[in-house]
């Protein structure tokens, strides 16, 4: 993956979102709303943004796998481009940019067919990793890969929680006290022996899926709620809270059904696969 990138923005220029997207990076305290794996589910994204607005946050970050799916890739891109949040690529963005349409799976192919050139330019400009405020590292999978699960391990028997040694090996010497990751759609937290905290906020847009790499396995959160995390820096260190947000998942499931995606239809309604 590419090297870490630092950037500063004035998020307050979007006045209507200033209460949720205006970081006060000069204070010791920081409250981060961590979003990941939106997968083009605009209704879930909007519900999460409303919940963040209600709770308040200094900055919202987006951890990748943003558009590919069975729902609304272009509309989701329009919403996020306007917000200009700190955002990184996931494996699906990389696949959209580098893959041949005929070899793409259905979710990437739908995004490929519906995105405009300005959407593709936005995706292409996103970094693979991002340092936020010098102490927070944003990655999609792990610091070294956008495909490897950070806090879970896939074996021939299925998917399980990763061991502390496995997590430490994947974290390597990443220079951050907080590492935010996504990819697996599973809300989970782990603290390393050296004090670093790793948080996966879960998925905004899809609560269950199956995969065949590196072994066949399934991921299920067990309910259709959109997930995200609030992570706060306090005098006692980083603290994380996970949130499950209601939205109109039945309409989202109906849209997936119209597009012939029975896998998404069931997952959106139930959080199972």
């Amino acid at each position: 993956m590419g090297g870490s990138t630092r950037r500063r923005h004035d998020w307050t220029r979007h006045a209507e979102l200033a209460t949720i997207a205006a970081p006060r990076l000069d204070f010791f305290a920081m409250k981060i709303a961590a979003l990941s794996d939106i997968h083009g589910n605009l209704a879930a994204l909007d519900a999460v943004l409303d919940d963040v607005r209600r709770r308040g946050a200094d900055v919202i970050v987006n951890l990748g796998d943003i558009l590919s799916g069975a729902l609304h890739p272009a509309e989701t891109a329009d919403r996020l481009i306007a917000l200009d949040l700190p955002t990184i690529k996931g494996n699906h963005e990389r696949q959209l940019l580098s893959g041949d349409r005929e070899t793409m799976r259905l979710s990437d192919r739908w995004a490929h067919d519906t995105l405009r050139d300005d959407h593709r330019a936005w995706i292409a400009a996103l970094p693979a990793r991002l340092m936020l405020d010098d102490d927070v590292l944003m990655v999609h999978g792990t610091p070294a890969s956008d495909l490897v699960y950070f806090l879970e391990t896939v074996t021939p028997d299925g998917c399980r929680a990763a061991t502390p040694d496995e997590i430490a090996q994947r974290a390597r010497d990443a220079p951050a006290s907080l590492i935010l990751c996504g990819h697996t759609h599973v809300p989970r937290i782990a603290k390393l022996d050296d004090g670093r905290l790793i948080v996966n906020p879960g998925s905004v847009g899809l609560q269950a899926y199956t995969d065949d790499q590196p072994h066949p396995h399934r991921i299920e959160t067990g309910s259709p709620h959109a997930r995200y995390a609030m992570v706060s820096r306090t005098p006692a260190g980083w603290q994380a809270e996970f949130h499950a947000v209601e939205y109109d998942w039945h309409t989202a499931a109906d849209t997936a059904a119209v597009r012939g995606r029975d896998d998404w239809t069931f997952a959106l309604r139930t959080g199972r696969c």
Side-chain angles (χ1 to χ4, degrees):
M1 299 177 71
S4 301
T5 304
R6 290 182 175 87
R7 67 177 185 177
R8 297 280 185 172
H9 282 298
D10 178 14
W11 286 277
T12 60
R13 64 192 177 87
H14 302 292
E16 75 280 10
L17 291 166
T19 58
I20 61 172
R24 298 184 294 274
L25 300 182
D26 54 333
F27 291 94
F28 177 82
M30 178 190 288
K31 189 174 184 182
I32 303 169
L35 282 56
S36 192
D37 297 276
I38 299 165
H39 285 288
N41 191 334
L42 183 60
L45 172 61
D46 283 344
V48 165
L49 290 174
D50 285 345
D51 197 68
V52 172
R53 180 182 289 109
R54 180 176 63 84
R55 296 177 187 277
D58 297 306
V59 62
I60 306 171
V61 301
N62 177 1
L63 301 171
D65 277 9
I66 306 164
L67 307 174
S68 295
L71 299 175
H72 304 290
E75 296 86 345
T76 302
D78 287 337
R79 179 81 81 252
L80 291 167
I81 289 170
L83 294 179
D84 194 23
L85 308 175
T87 299
I88 60 173
K89 289 184 180 80
N91 58 292
H92 280 281
E93 284 71 57
R94 176 176 52 78
Q95 290 159 195
L96 277 172
L97 293 172
S98 62
D100 172 52
R101 182 190 183 279
E102 298 309 312
T103 63
M104 291 179 181
R105 296 189 178 187
L106 293 175
S107 291
D108 287 337
R109 188 178 297 181
W110 176 244
H112 177 277
D113 291 348
T114 56
L115 295 177
R116 304 188 306 265
D117 287 345
D118 59 315
H119 297 149
R120 293 187 178 88
W122 174 66
I123 293 170
L126 297 175
R129 303 191 307 176
L130 186 66
M131 286 295 296
L132 183 72
D133 195 35
D134 300 325
D135 198 33
V136 180
L137 175 62
M138 298 164 51
V139 302
H140 182 67
T142 71
S145 171
D146 62 9
L147 287 175
V148 174
Y149 291 3
F150 208 147
L151 303 182
E152 290 78 29
T153 296
V154 178
T155 74
D157 295 324
C159 187
R160 59 165 173 79
T163 67
D165 284 346
E166 289 170 336
I167 296 169
Q169 290 171 6
R170 295 164 192 166
R172 299 184 179 180
D173 58 352
S177 62
L178 173 65
I179 304 174
L180 300 172
C181 66
H183 190 45
T184 69
H185 300 206
V186 178
R188 198 183 297 275
I189 187 170
K191 190 168 187 178
L192 300 178
D193 289 342
D194 60 17
R196 288 180 293 172
L197 192 70
I198 304 166
V199 177
N200 186 328
S203 171
V204 170
L206 184 65
Q207 303 309 319
Y209 67 89
T210 60
D211 200 353
D212 56 6
Q213 296 296 323
H215 307 283
H217 63 281
R218 66 179 59 207
I219 298 291
E220 299 175 310
T221 59
S223 86
H225 297 74
R227 265 57 173 210
Y228 78 101
M230 284 286 197
V231 189
S232 301
R233 185 166 57 192
T234 73
W238 291 102
Q239 306 289 330
E241 297 179 351
F242 295 102
H243 299 288
V245 181
E246 291 189 0
Y247 73 100
D248 186 1
W249 49 71
H250 292 297
T251 296
D254 290 344
T255 299
V258 167
R259 291 175 181 152
R261 294 298 303 273
D262 291 343
D263 54 340
W264 269 67
T265 302
F266 187 71
L268 288 167
R269 290 193 199 280
T270 66
R272 301 190 302 275
C273 55

